[in-house]
Amino acid sequence: MTESAGNKNEDCHAANGVKPGRNGMVKSHHHHHQYQKQQEKVYNAACNGELYSRPYIESFEETPMLVAVLTYMGYGILTIFGYLRDFMREWKIEKCHIAREREEQKDFVPLYQDFENFYTRNLYMRIRDSWNRPICSVPGATFDLVERSSNDYNWTFEYTGRVVKDVINLGSYNYLGFAENTGACATAAGEVTVKFGVGVASTRQEMGNLDRHEELEKLAASFLGVESAMAFGMGFATNSMNIPALAGKGCLILSDELNHASLVLGARLSGSTIRVFKHNNMQSLEKLLRDAIVHGQPRTHRPWKKILILVEGIYSMEGSIIRLPEVIALKKKYKAYLYLDEAHSIGALGPSGRGVVEYFGLDPKDVDVLMGTFTKSFGAAGGYIGGRKDLIDYLRSHSHSAIYATSMSLPVVEQIITSMKCIMGLDGTTIVMEHVDCFQALDVISQVGDLLQLKYSRRKVLPSLDRPFDETTYEENEE
């Protein structure tokens, strides 16, 4: 899997269409210069099945020691006071507002998890006001909050009737600003609402398959560069309901340890054997693949019916980008299948917004199942799966989300079609260029942040591909 980068350096950079020195995280020129001398020592990834010579370096902000110590101290103090308050509640000194087991059911199996209840009533309630804040405007760059107050330490809230105006929005999925109440998307969705109404009131296989649904799927397939695509009404269900249709008993699923809950749920519902590899660690993934080929299924040692690798394009909680060229190389080497979740990368990554596949300059056909959602960059709802036509035809008749779920609402479909055409440049406007300018500005801000971190951090850790690998792996549903 490794080879000197000297012979193919220029060819691979040209094939990927990415400037040398750019990698999965946004890096300053200082970082690239610092690691240029180590390029020969770094593992090579794959470029459409061939070697991919660009070093992959990840950098994450280090937690200051003082912040870490104070955080753990705070949790410790709150835990001690929590046990004290539970003792007072047990003796009726303090009133407990949270749901608890009834006295006549004390000998039954507990309905509530004890520690989860403890955390909720003693720690979360103290900061509950910071979460689940109701808003009363479009989730744009700023929005309006409904003001509320509590007289019982956040157990219940009362609305004051006032509105907090122009609060900065740092937590919305509205990546490209399409979720607005004005503009081309809102106008198109409004016109479709007047013409077709809001609900479809049927499944796609009965009377809920409209021409707009088929247009959306053809447009999505063209955008992704695949033969066919299929749209679903819920992004979470796109993963959790389709993975069981692709894998089952006798199959092996290799899942990144930081995969989204929808991928984890789908893998568990499939009944397949699940083995978890270290996050973005190709040594860990290759070891599991090699062991799966050599040993086969447990006890019987028969070959696995199918090996499916589950990864995400961008891991939203960590900010890391999947090392896709290497994953594709391993997938081809061991004849496995690849399922790529591009929920956070589609529309926001790559020169024309086509996700992590385009970012690395790879061929979409090398990814067996391309999954993504319309809830982020497109400002709508739902998800999609793209791939070969025979794959999509199979899912149309075997996916629970396709057979039993109500069709996607037509205003939502129109929102997706309009925003996707804007990204593709098919609408004749310059809206997408304005969004690109915004991302270029964010790129500059990110580089400034890297320099500040380099200056003020206690030490800088930039792990390369050959970071230590723990031989321990995790396993679920072992037969």
Side-chain angles (χ1 to χ4, degrees), residues 192-342:
V192 168
T193 304
V194 173
K195 182 178 180 180
F196 293 98
V198 176
V200 180
S202 183
T203 65
R204 291 286 300 274
Q205 293 192 350
E206 294 176 340
M207 295 180 293
N209 187 31
L210 280 77
D211 57 343
R212 304 303 289 170
H213 291 118
E214 296 190 2
E215 180 183 348
L216 168 61
E217 291 176 345
K218 291 179 181 177
L219 185 65
S222 174
F223 180 63
L224 298 171
V226 295
E227 294 179 7
S228 184
M230 184 176 181
F232 302 89
M234 182 180 179
F236 190 97
T238 305
N239 278 333
S240 61
M241 292 291 100
N242 284 292
I243 294 176
L246 298 173
K249 189 175 181 180
C251 298
L252 174 64
I253 291 179
L254 303 180
S255 177
D256 190 290
E257 65 179 348
L258 298 182
N259 273 343
H260 189 262
S262 59
L263 290 169
V264 175
L265 178 60
R268 290 176 175 174
L269 290 176
S270 70
S272 305
T273 298
I274 304 171
R275 291 175 183 164
V276 182
F277 60 91
K278 300 292 184 181
H279 174 56
N280 239 354
N281 191 312
M282 296 302 105
Q283 294 95 331
S284 174
L285 175 58
E286 183 168 17
K287 181 179 184 298
L288 291 180
L289 283 167
R290 186 170 56 247
D291 291 346
I293 298 298
V294 172
H295 301 295
Q297 299 185 41
R299 291 196 296 271
T300 65
H301 299 292
R302 294 175 180 172
W304 295 99
K305 295 179 180 179
K306 187 185 302 178
I307 299 178
L308 182 64
I309 304 172
L310 300 183
V311 293
E312 295 185 46
I314 292 181
Y315 292 84
S316 59
M317 296 296 101
E318 293 74 31
S320 58
I321 299 177
I322 184 64
R323 289 156 61 173
L324 187 60
E326 293 175 87
V327 175
I328 290 177
L330 292 175
K331 165 234 170 187
K332 289 184 175 181
K333 179 180 179 180
Y334 294 97
K335 310 301 181 186
Y337 294 94
L338 177 58
Y339 186 108
L340 175 62
D341 180 349
E342 292 219 65

Side-chain angles (χ1 to χ4, degrees), residues 50-333:
E50 299 178 357
L51 290 180
Y52 182 83
S53 61
R54 188 176 59 200
Y56 192 101
I57 303 171
E58 285 183 323
S59 171
F60 298 97
E61 183 178 354
E62 182 185 5
T63 303
M65 182 62 70
L66 179 61
V67 174
V69 170
L70 292 178
T71 300
Y72 283 114
M73 286 180 58
Y75 271 107
I77 293 172
L78 287 175
T79 301
I80 293 173
F81 275 93
Y83 282 112
L84 177 61
R85 297 185 71 177
D86 276 356
F87 175 79
M88 297 172 64
R89 295 183 184 117
E90 187 71 24
W91 289 92
K92 312 299 182 184
I93 300 175
E94 180 179 339
K95 184 179 179 180
C96 182
H97 299 271
I98 204 166
R100 304 181 68 181
E101 303 289 348
R102 292 161 55 181
E103 186 65 27
E104 53 268 30
Q105 293 179 320
K106 62 181 180 180
D107 295 327
F108 289 20
V109 176
L111 188 62
Y112 307 103
Q113 296 293 329
D114 184 61
F115 179 76
E116 292 180 6
N117 248 351
F118 175 86
Y119 180 86
T120 301
R121 64 177 176 263
N122 294 308
L123 281 75
Y124 171 69
M125 282 298 169
R126 292 175 172 268
I127 58 173
R128 187 185 174 198
D129 186 51
S130 301
W131 315 102
N132 310 322
R133 299 294 297 270
I135 68 173
C136 56
S137 68
V138 175
T142 62
F143 52 69
D144 301 336
L145 285 179
V146 178
E147 188 179 72
R148 62 184 183 181
S149 62
S150 176
N151 298 319
D152 54 2
Y153 303 101
N154 296 337
W155 286 99
T156 60
F157 292 102
E158 296 179 357
Y159 296 109
T160 63
R162 294 188 292 271
V163 175
V164 182
K165 295 284 188 178
D166 297 328
V167 178
I168 297 177
N169 181 7
L170 296 177
S172 175
Y173 286 157
N174 191 13
Y175 293 165
L176 300 182
F178 285 120
E180 299 289 346
N181 56 359
T182 59
C185 293
T187 301
E191 293 174 354
V192 168
T193 304
V194 173
K195 182 178 180 180
F196 293 98
V198 176
V200 180
S202 183
T203 65
R204 291 286 300 274
Q205 293 192 350
E206 294 176 340
M207 295 180 293
N209 187 31
L210 280 77
D211 57 343
R212 304 303 289 170
H213 291 118
E214 296 190 2
E215 180 183 348
L216 168 61
E217 291 176 345
K218 291 179 181 177
L219 185 65
S222 174
F223 180 63
L224 298 171
V226 295
E227 294 179 7
S228 184
M230 184 176 181
F232 302 89
M234 182 180 179
F236 190 97
T238 305
N239 278 333
S240 61
M241 292 291 100
N242 284 292
I243 294 176
L246 298 173
K249 189 175 181 180
C251 298
L252 174 64
I253 291 179
L254 303 180
S255 177
D256 190 290
E257 65 179 348
L258 298 182
N259 273 343
H260 189 262
S262 59
L263 290 169
V264 175
L265 178 60
R268 290 176 175 174
L269 290 176
S270 70
S272 305
T273 298
I274 304 171
R275 291 175 183 164
V276 182
F277 60 91
K278 300 292 184 181
H279 174 56
N280 239 354
N281 191 312
M282 296 302 105
Q283 294 95 331
S284 174
L285 175 58
E286 183 168 17
K287 181 179 184 298
L288 291 180
L289 283 167
R290 186 170 56 247
D291 291 346
I293 298 298
V294 172
H295 301 295
Q297 299 185 41
R299 291 196 296 271
T300 65
H301 299 292
R302 294 175 180 172
W304 295 99
K305 295 179 180 179
K306 187 185 302 178
I307 299 178
L308 182 64
I309 304 172
L310 300 183
V311 293
E312 295 185 46
I314 292 181
Y315 292 84
S316 59
M317 296 296 101
E318 293 74 31
S320 58
I321 299 177
I322 184 64
R323 289 156 61 173
L324 187 60
E326 293 175 87
V327 175
I328 290 177
L330 292 175
K331 165 234 170 187
K332 289 184 175 181
K333 179 180 179 180

